[in-house]
Amino acid sequence: MSKVETSTSTETPAQPLRLSRRELILIVAFWTFMAALTFANRLLDPRQLGFQVTNSSAPIALAFISAYLWALLTPIVFWLSARFLADRSHRVAGTVLLLFVGFLIAIALGMTGDAVRSALMPFPPRRGGGPPGYFWLRPWYLNEFIIYLGVLAAGLARAYSIRYRVQREESLRVAAQLRAQLAEARLDALRMQLDPHFLFNTLHAISSLVERDPRGVRRMISRLSELLRHTIEGPSEQEISLHQELDLLRRYLEIMEVRFQGRLEITTDVQERALDALVPNLILQPIVENAIKHGVSKTEGVGRIALRGRIEGSQLVLSVENNGPLAESRSGGTGVGVRNTRARLSHLYGDDQSFELRAGDGSAPSTIAEIRLPSHTRADLRTAAVSIA
């Protein structure tokens, strides 16, 4: 979070200082419009203020020169207003400075405009000669100062608008990061709930065989250590390929095969093109564990588990079928493993996923746990990232 706050404090004040090309075009267009409006007003004004207009293009030139001088000064005034907004610690000094600069600009433009006006539309000669001193008798710089205040107000409004937009975008970005971190924390918490649940069940199975099958127990401990190593040192991402998931599941199933001493049969039927699809890390293990606990362990004789995976349109369909009745499996439908599996799928895929426990289609009793989620691979994610960039 400190990185985000630093970014906000350094970038937000600087944003209003830069004018875009569109803003510069709008400034020129505005002052061009004001020049045309001023010229039209002078043509319609019957009072000529004592000028002798010797050149018919003089009023046009005077209006456009004055307007384009302001067009050149507007970006500077906008820059001053943005600097004033950024420096909140010296509000009074900044206000005095802006007013002082405004008076200087107004006097300079007033004198410039008076000189241009005198050259294009000279005053009538008066007795005794000499200039009439019109600038000082009727100070045009007051009009220029009022225009400056208007431009300054527009610059402040622009700076406040940009600052608000930047802060709002930053707030939305931080909120999105917090939501992502919260979702990640929830998923990690769910995963950590799965690991002890699996660990306790496996240790119980090991303790029941420690005297009857020492070699099998050593094999179970070896596979358990591999699974724990994956949990602790394995990849931190929430999704892995189905091929990796099945490899992890195979180690768990080897533990269960030792436990059931020949009473467990596993069959796997997964499409080749489905192996690269991404699935949540350790998503199948709690489903298979649920099938063994509430299906196979309740069945007399050999327990059978069939793992299937296929691509259907834009979805990856994973199913775990056991030869236990649905009524037995329902007792585990609200267990830790199944609840967390539902929660993980919901967090990762929202409404684009489903998890269903249902009775098998055959005449013999069986239960099917079916997961549907969006089919995507790491290559798809890279392609999407490149297209967004």
Side-chain angles (χ1 to χ4, degrees), residues 344-364:
R344 292 181 70 197
L345 290 171
S346 178
H347 276 300
L348 285 171
Y349 309 112
D351 295 333
D352 295 334
Q353 54 78 34
S354 66
F355 177 53
E356 178 186 11
L357 280 173
R358 69 175 189 271
D361 301 328
S363 57

Side-chain angles (χ1 to χ4, degrees), residues 284-295:
L284 290 177
Q285 183 271 327
I287 305 302
V288 173
E289 183 177 4
N290 186 72
I292 292 175
K293 180 178 180 181
H294 300 287

Side-chain angles (χ1 to χ4, degrees), residues 195-355:
D195 295 339
H197 182 250
F198 155 71
L199 179 61
F200 296 151
N201 289 342
T202 304
L203 290 177
H204 177 73
I206 291 175
S207 65
S208 64
L209 294 175
V210 68
E211 294 181 357
R212 287 187 296 158
D213 188 4
R215 292 184 58 185
V217 167
R218 285 195 295 270
R219 183 180 175 190
M220 293 173 71
I221 293 175
S222 174
R223 295 297 178 265
L224 177 61
S225 66
E226 293 175 0
L227 287 173
L228 291 178
R229 186 178 298 110
H230 169 80
T231 302
I232 298 173
E233 302 176 357
S236 59
E237 61 264 20
Q238 290 293 338
E239 292 183 314
I240 61 176
S241 68
L242 180 57
H243 176 75
Q244 292 174 293
E245 178 71 10
L246 291 174
D247 184 57
L248 292 171
L249 183 62
R250 177 182 56 80
R251 301 174 190 178
Y252 169 76
L253 289 174
E254 288 180 2
I255 295 175
M256 293 298 103
E257 287 174 343
V258 175
R259 173 188 170 187
F260 283 93
Q261 300 288 301
R263 294 196 309 111
L264 180 62
E265 292 183 0
I266 310 294
T267 60
T268 303
D269 181 16
V270 179
Q271 289 180 347
E272 184 72 23
R273 64 191 186 115
L275 292 175
D276 291 331
L278 296 180
V279 298
N281 196 352
L282 288 176
I283 196 67
L284 290 177
Q285 183 271 327
I287 305 302
V288 173
E289 183 177 4
N290 186 72
I292 292 175
K293 180 178 180 181
H294 300 287
V296 173
S297 63
K298 307 292 184 179
T299 303
E300 295 182 1
V302 178
R304 296 179 177 85
I305 292 180
L307 305 173
R308 301 182 183 92
R310 64 188 185 279
I311 302 292
E312 288 187 2
S314 61
Q315 287 190 318
L316 171 65
V317 182
L318 303 173
S319 65
V320 177
E321 182 176 4
N322 68 83
N323 60 342
L326 179 60
E328 295 292 343
S329 295
R330 279 180 177 171
S331 65
T334 56
V336 175
V338 174
R339 283 203 314 269
N340 289 348
T341 297
R342 294 185 190 275
R344 292 181 70 197
L345 290 171
S346 178
H347 276 300
L348 285 171
Y349 309 112
D351 295 333
D352 295 334
Q353 54 78 34
S354 66
F355 177 53

Side-chain angles (χ1 to χ4, degrees), residues 70-83:
W70 271 114
L72 291 175
L73 288 172
T74 297
I76 299 177
V77 177
F78 279 10
W79 181 85
L80 289 173
S81 63
R83 292 293 300 175

Side-chain angles (χ1 to χ4, degrees), residues 18-28 158 162:
R18 298 192 295 269
L19 272 71
S20 65
R21 180 180 300 179
R22 178 175 176 271
E23 288 177 318
L24 293 175
I25 293 174
L26 288 176
I27 288 173
V28 175
R158 169 186 172 273
I162 293 177

